[in-house]
Amino acid sequence: DTAVSQTPKYLVTQMGNDKSIKCEQNLGHDTMYWYKQDSKKFLKIMFSYNNKELIINETVPNRFSPKSPDKAHLNLHINSLELGDSAVYFCASSRTGNQPQHFGDGTRLSIL
Amino acid sequence: AQSVTQLDSHVSVSEGTPVLLRCNYSSSYSPSLFWYVQHPNKGLQLLLKYTSAATLVKGINGFEAEFKKSETSFHLTKPSAHMSDAAEYFCVVSALGNQGGKLIFGQGTELSVKP
């Protein structure tokens, strides 16, 4: 069974569209995260939620809005997609904020 | 503020020879340090973690890392490389305080293994 699963795996869309990426973890963890990996493979945290509450919100444009309906899910909605949003987005989870994080396989977003 | 610097963007070794991936960290406090590996088109997998217990940390797949406070280093080693070790490796430090859970990544080191 996949511990952290993201859908879709690939997402190709046009500039200006709105899209969502879903993430689910079956590890019973309390904390979930979204990371962005750019074309040079640099990883940077975007958001983290603990038990549905926003904990970390890095300097991410308002077009990005995370939503956590329950502690097993953390979805990422992106409005008005721009070329610079092309990247791989990773979801992760951990038991608490200071425990090792488990990552999903990533969603590869390409903006045409 | 915490940070990590991976000293090599790319390392190439022959199968069966030792692996050394270098990482220096910067932290005002005793840090929590990790090494993660990323295989192509995959997510990140935890190799090992240091959390102020033993300075020599053993991880999965024969990897280990040594925490050296005097050198502010946390280098990753493996005695004998295998073809399946070819991947991207990230040295990571965990932020402190109310930013607990925020991981700060190094730039990554791509490991190539030649037959």
Side-chain angles (χ1 to χ4, degrees):
Chain A
D1 287 340
T2 304
V4 181
S5 59
Q6 299 178 225
T7 55
K9 192 174 177 68
Y10 299 94
L11 186 51
V12 181
T13 189
Q14 291 190 324
M15 215 163 44
N17 284 351
D18 303 337
K19 290 293 178 186
S20 291
I21 306 171
K22 295 186 176 182
C23 178
E24 176 182 4
Q25 54 94 5
N26 62 5
L27 296 167
H29 289 167
D30 284 339
T31 309
M32 296 185 72
Y33 313 81
W34 277 109
Y35 289 86
K36 180 180 181 180
Q37 185 174 43
D38 64 21
S39 58
K40 295 184 179 178
K41 298 192 177 179
F42 183 66
L43 275 147
K44 191 167 168 24
I45 192 167
M46 300 173 68
F47 303 102
S48 86
Y49 272 71
N50 183 269
N51 208 4
K52 302 193 298 176
E53 181 183 345
L54 180 65
I55 301 298
I56 296 172
N57 184 349
E58 290 293 284
T59 51
V60 178
N62 291 338
R63 300 181 294 103
F64 290 78
S65 53
K67 289 211 171 32
S68 182
D70 56 63
K71 73 174 192 177
H73 295 84
L74 181 61
N75 304 323
L76 183 65
H77 188 76
I78 315 170
N79 289 328
S80 303
L81 281 157
E82 299 177 357
L83 289 175
D85 297 333
S86 293
V88 182
Y89 292 85
F90 286 99
C91 178
S93 73
S94 64
R95 191 179 306 278
T96 67
N98 290 321
Q99 295 296 311
Q101 297 177 21
H102 296 250
F103 285 76
D105 283 346
T107 295
R108 283 144 191 85
L109 175 62
S110 298
I111 309 301
L112 304 177
Chain B
Q2 292 85 17
S3 66
V4 287
T5 301
Q6 292 181 243
L7 301 174
D8 306 293
S9 59
H10 185 246
V11 170
S12 181
V13 300
S14 297
E15 191 174 21
T17 64
V19 175
L20 170 64
L21 304 183
R22 299 182 295 164
C23 173
N24 286 350
Y25 70 90
S26 173
S27 178
S28 303
Y29 303 93
S30 182
S32 291
L33 292 161
F34 309 83
W35 275 98
Y36 280 85
V37 61
Q38 183 181 23
H39 287 94
N41 297 318
K42 288 290 186 182
L44 284 81
Q45 181 184 19
L46 178 69
L47 278 178
L48 50 81
K49 61 177 180 178
Y50 167 78
T51 53
S52 74
T55 56
L56 183 62
V57 183
K58 293 192 184 299
I60 62 171
N61 300 334
F63 285 95
E64 62 182 36
E66 186 171 7
F67 174 76
K68 291 187 177 180
K69 186 175 179 179
S70 60
E71 299 176 9
T72 62
S73 68
F74 190 57
H75 301 334
L76 182 71
T77 60
K78 182 173 180 177
S80 176
H82 191 272
M83 295 297 290
S84 61
D85 294 328
E88 190 86 16
Y89 290 80
F90 293 95
C91 181
V92 183
V93 64
S94 179
L96 298 170
N98 61 6
Q99 291 191 312
K102 176 181 175 179
L103 295 182
I104 299 165
F105 285 79
Q107 303 91 324
T109 298
E110 182 182 3
L111 176 65
S112 300
V113 182
K114 298 174 289 188

